[in-house]
Amino acid sequence: MKDKPVGFFDSGLGGASVLKEALRLLPKENYIYYGDNKNAPYGDKDEKEITRLTFAGADFLVSHGVKAMVLACNTATSAAIREIREMLSIPVISVEPAIKPACALPGDGKILMCATLATTRLERYQKLRARMPDPGRVVDVPCPGLADRIEQGVFGADAFDDLFRGYFKPFEGQRIDAIVLGCTHYVFIKDAFKRYAQEHFSGNAALFDGNAATILQLGRVLEEKGLSGASGEADVAFHTSGDRAYFEPLFLSLLRG
């Protein structure tokens, strides 16, 4: 089992941002990545459909002999993590919006939790938010269309202002202490968030994501289960439900960038 790869699943390309952390922090493992690019994004689908698609992705990775799985999609995690863990005998690690470290910041400015509509409305996230010391400080900001544009290979710092104006208009000029990137896709456009925040908000608007914490948890679980690899070379096998000729070069460029 130690020599088997770790599987990564995402609705599309976003999980590559989590896998990039794994290559850095756990370089003696090998990896299989499956992106459901054909059906991306998941954020505008209902919970039943998200769960069905997530189960299909998990089945794909299990059929390729993974020893553990990272559900590298906030929306899929919110909809299906409990059922996936009940179904599988291997460890399943999930991502979680990094609102806890964001809420630890001093100050009384708002914390904007940017994610898909599905993530913000599902019960798992709402329970997480309710556990924060001051839940009212956290403002959920659904970002329809953002993951779609990133899936199209758009990453420029000035390429999202039209969408940001719609999402962030109610907070123009306000003190924003933090922005939580609650979708793994958004990690690839940190510069766009920084640029917009500097021009339109007061406060530091520090950016938070949960990728590194997810991989640290993966490492702990592999160690506890006696599954840590010792001979892997951070090899990555890429699979997609979409057009491989289009998505594989984009995926590889994101890992290397």
Side-chain angles (χ1 to χ4, degrees):
M1 286 292 287
K2 287 184 177 182
D3 296 330
K4 291 186 176 183
V6 176
F8 274 70
F9 172 74
D10 183 56
S11 62
L13 294 170
S17 67
V18 191
L19 178 56
K20 190 172 182 178
E21 287 291 328
L23 297 177
R24 181 176 69 89
L25 296 172
L26 300 175
K28 292 187 177 180
E29 302 290 347
N30 292 322
Y31 302 94
I32 294 178
Y33 186 95
Y34 178 66
D36 189 16
N37 302 89
K38 180 181 178 180
N39 296 298
Y42 284 5
D44 57 356
K45 302 183 189 302
D46 62 39
E47 186 172 359
K48 184 177 180 180
E49 178 68 0
I50 296 167
T51 300
R52 184 186 70 80
L53 293 170
T54 304
F55 268 60
D59 286 342
F60 179 91
L61 289 171
V62 169
S63 73
H64 282 71
V66 298
K67 64 182 177 182
M69 185 183 304
V70 177
L71 200 55
C73 174
N74 293 89
T75 301
T77 294
S78 294
I81 185 62
R82 184 176 61 185
E83 292 86 350
I84 291 289
R85 283 176 171 157
E86 290 173 352
M87 180 184 76
L88 300 182
S89 59
I90 60 173
V92 181
I93 311 302
S94 63
V95 293
E96 187 172 84
I99 59 174
K100 184 175 181 179
C103 287
L105 288 176
D108 57 2
K110 291 183 173 65
I111 294 168
L112 305 183
M113 210 297 280
C114 298
T116 68
L117 178 60
T119 295
T120 59
R121 71 188 179 195
L122 290 172
E123 182 181 9
R124 178 181 173 86
Y125 166 70
Q126 290 296 328
K127 286 183 176 179
L128 172 66
R129 182 172 179 262
R131 294 197 298 270
M132 295 302 104
D134 181 7
R137 189 182 178 198
V138 180
V139 181
D140 298 336
V141 184
C143 299
L146 193 54
D148 310 62
R149 189 168 295 182
I150 296 167
E151 281 284 309
Q152 294 167 14
V154 178
F155 305 102
D158 60 352
F160 300 90
D161 286 358
D162 58 326
L163 295 177
F164 287 163
R165 280 192 292 271
Y167 308 150
F168 297 134
K169 184 177 180 180
F171 315 107
E172 185 78 23
Q174 295 188 23
R175 175 173 172 173
I176 306 299
D177 288 336
I179 298 175
V180 177
L181 305 179
C183 171
T184 54
H185 283 78
Y186 303 171
V187 178
F188 288 121
I189 60 166
K190 283 184 176 182
D191 288 346
F193 278 97
K194 288 178 184 176
R195 175 182 176 275
Y196 193 89
Q198 289 170 355
E199 294 180 359
H200 296 271
F201 305 144
S202 64
N204 291 328
L207 300 182
F208 287 83
D209 69 80
N211 288 3
T214 298
I215 299 307
L216 291 173
Q217 175 65 5
L218 171 63
R220 285 191 290 267
V221 170
L222 292 176
E223 183 70 25
E224 291 169 2
K225 302 290 186 182
L227 296 173
S228 296
S231 59
E233 298 180 346
D235 290 333
V236 177
F238 174 76
H239 300 272
T240 177
S241 62
D243 181 353
R244 186 182 185 95
Y246 173 80
F247 285 109
E248 185 170 27
L250 188 53
F251 170 81
L252 292 175
S253 71
L254 291 173
L255 283 188
R256 295 166 181 162

